[in-house]
């Protein structure tokens, strides 16, 4: 039985990846931070099937101890401070988790078992002020937030450990991927939750920032398969993972409100406070290499994703 070790297992991607690997017959180990209350709601239905290890990306020795106990063949490093606006408020902490945390993970792998295959969760936010459209594996990075800068560090330190120490270490440059398990602070989930509240009479308006920003949005449950496929190759390579289509926040809003027969113009209010200090205007993936070399393609359309998220929040809030 293969063993996988997932950091960030309590997050959106970690929960879907844990489901996927369990279905593949893996023994799944997850890293969780010590806390007075455990935030396991995304994986509560799986908790009896997962081996948990307490460790922290800020603490090198705890990571070494966790990997030594788990002895995995595959490590998926998904943990990070992952909300872009927070990275301006907490830039140093974002760098500690999202940048240096990757180095600590790689050092732990190198010392515990250099045969471990390592996956690093890179991000399309590294492209920032894009140098070309669409963005592929050779597009230069120009990050526009402390989060994007930290992810670029994590990406290049992964490349460095691969080339310096011969580790099987890869980065998946994943474009935006969403689901009903997305945090409420992210715009897709904020819209889905807001639409559900308005439909159920729990709210009357939804405040948003830049409606013209465009993203390449896909379904998180589809994307975790790409992570796994990258570690099954004979040689370590980095891949861009996305749908190859982009949509604006305005289109997201239109589809979400229309799904519950509401006119978005009657409820959406623009709030300048919610506009980023440095905006990333448009991100669009060129996923052709991932399609050709690891055989991955998205299965869920943008429209279906938005409807899925709205329906989930309506059902969640209906008792209220």
């Amino acid at each position: 039985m293969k063993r996988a070790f997932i950091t960030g297992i309590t997050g959106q991607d970690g929960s879907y990846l844990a489901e996927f690997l369990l279905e593949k017959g893996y023994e799944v180990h997850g890293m969780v931070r010590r806390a007075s209350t455990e935030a396991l709601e995304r994986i509560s239905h799986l908790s009896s099937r997962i081996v948990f290890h307490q460790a922290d990306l800020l603490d090198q020795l705890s990571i070494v101890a966790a990997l030594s106990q788990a002895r995995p063949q595959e490590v998926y490093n998904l943990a990070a401070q992952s909300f872009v606006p927070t990275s301006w408020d907490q830039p140093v902490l974002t760098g500690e988790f999202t940048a240096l945390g990757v180095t600590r993970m790689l050092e732990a792998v190198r010392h515990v078992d250099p045969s471990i295959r390592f996956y690093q969760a890179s991000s399309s936010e590294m492209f920032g002020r894009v140098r070309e459209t669409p963005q592929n594996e050779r597009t230069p990075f120009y990050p526009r937030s402390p989060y994007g800068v930290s992810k670029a560090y994590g990406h290049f330190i992964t490349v460095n450990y691969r080339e310096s120490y011969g580790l099987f270490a890869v980065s998946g440059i994943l474009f935006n991927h969403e689901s009903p398990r997305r945090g409420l602070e992210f715009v897709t989930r904020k819209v889905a939750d807001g639409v559900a509240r308005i439909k159920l009479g729990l709210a009357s308006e939804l405040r948003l920032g830049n409606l013209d920003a465009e993203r390449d949005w896909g379904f998180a449950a589809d994307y975790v398969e790409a992570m796994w496929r990258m570690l099954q190759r004979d040689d370590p390579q980095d891949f861009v993972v996305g749908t190859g289509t982009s949509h604006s926040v305005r289109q997201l809003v239109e589809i979400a409100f229309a799904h519950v027969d509401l006119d978005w113009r009657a409820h959406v209010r623009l709030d300048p406070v919610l506009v980023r200090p440095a905006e990333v205007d448009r991100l669009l993936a060129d996923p052709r290499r991932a399609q050709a070399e690891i055989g991955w393609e998205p299965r869920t359309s943008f429209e279906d994703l938005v409807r899925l998220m709205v329906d989930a929040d309506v059902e969640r809030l209906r008792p209220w």
Side-chain angles (χ1 to χ4, degrees), residues 160-235:
N160 187 264
Y161 270 66
R162 180 170 72 221
E163 296 179 350
S164 299
Y165 301 114
L167 297 184
F168 193 109
V170 302
S171 287
I173 307 174
L174 270 58
F175 280 63
N176 296 65
H177 45 289
E178 318 296 321
S179 76
R181 300 178 191 175
R182 191 58 138 158
L184 286 167
E185 66 272 25
F186 291 86
V187 68
T188 48
R189 183 71 193 289
K190 182 178 181 180
V191 168
D193 176 77
V195 168
R197 289 179 183 277
I198 293 169
K199 179 64 176 178
L200 296 172
L202 301 173
S204 60
E205 68 175 29
L206 174 62
R207 305 185 76 82
L208 296 171
N210 181 10
L211 297 184
D212 296 320
E214 294 184 24
R215 294 292 184 271
D216 185 328
W217 276 301
F219 184 30
D222 294 344
Y223 283 46
V224 296
E225 182 179 351
M227 303 176 186
W228 174 77
R229 285 178 176 268
M230 290 175 64
L231 292 193
Q232 310 315 305
R233 289 173 53 86
D234 293 331
D235 62 317

Side-chain angles (χ1 to χ4, degrees), residues 12-13 16-17 19-20 177-179 218-226 296 299-300:
Q12 170 189 257
D13 291 8
Y16 282 116
L17 179 61
E19 286 179 345
F20 177 84
H177 45 289
E178 318 296 321
S179 76
F219 184 30
D222 294 344
Y223 283 46
V224 296
E225 182 179 351
W296 179 87
R299 295 184 294 272
T300 309

Side-chain angles (χ1 to χ4, degrees), residues 65-139:
L67 285 182
S68 298
Q69 292 165 10
R71 288 290 171 179
Q73 288 86 39
E74 299 173 3
V75 167
Y76 297 85
N77 185 42
L78 310 185
Q81 190 302 99
S82 59
F83 187 45
V84 174
T86 296
S87 73
W88 276 287
D89 295 330
Q90 300 179 359
V92 175
L93 186 64
T94 298
E96 286 286 352
F97 277 114
T98 310
L100 292 179
V102 186
T103 310
R104 296 185 186 103
M105 286 299 303
L106 287 163
E107 273 292 283
V109 166
R110 186 167 75 91
H111 287 288
V112 172
D113 181 1
S115 72
I116 290 173
R117 296 191 169 205
F118 179 86
Y119 172 87
Q120 164 60 15
S122 287
S123 169
S124 59
E125 286 287 331
M126 300 186 303
F127 294 120
R129 181 181 286 175
V130 297
R131 306 290 88 185
E132 62 183 4
T133 299
Q135 295 88 53
N136 60 38
E137 291 81 3
R138 295 183 177 275
T139 303

Side-chain angles (χ1 to χ4, degrees), residues 270-316:
L270 301 184
D271 188 344
V273 173
L274 299 175
V275 177
R276 293 181 180 184
E279 184 59 88
V280 174
D281 297 314
R282 187 185 188 214
L283 294 173
L284 175 62
D286 177 359
R288 288 177 295 178
R289 224 180 118 239
Q291 293 168 359
E293 296 190 29
I294 62 173
W296 179 87
E297 291 190 15
R299 295 184 294 272
T300 309
S301 71
F302 175 70
E303 293 78 10
D304 286 345
L305 170 62
V306 175
R307 295 175 188 127
L308 171 71
M309 293 179 68
V310 171
D311 287 344
D313 275 322
V314 168
E315 289 305 308
R316 178 179 62 88

Side-chain angles (χ1 to χ4, degrees), residues 1-5 21-22 25-29 49 51 70 72:
M1 181 182 291
K2 272 192 173 183
R3 289 185 303 280
F5 185 92
L21 294 176
L22 286 168
Y26 277 67
E27 180 182 306
V28 175
H29 295 248
R49 303 171 63 192
V51 181

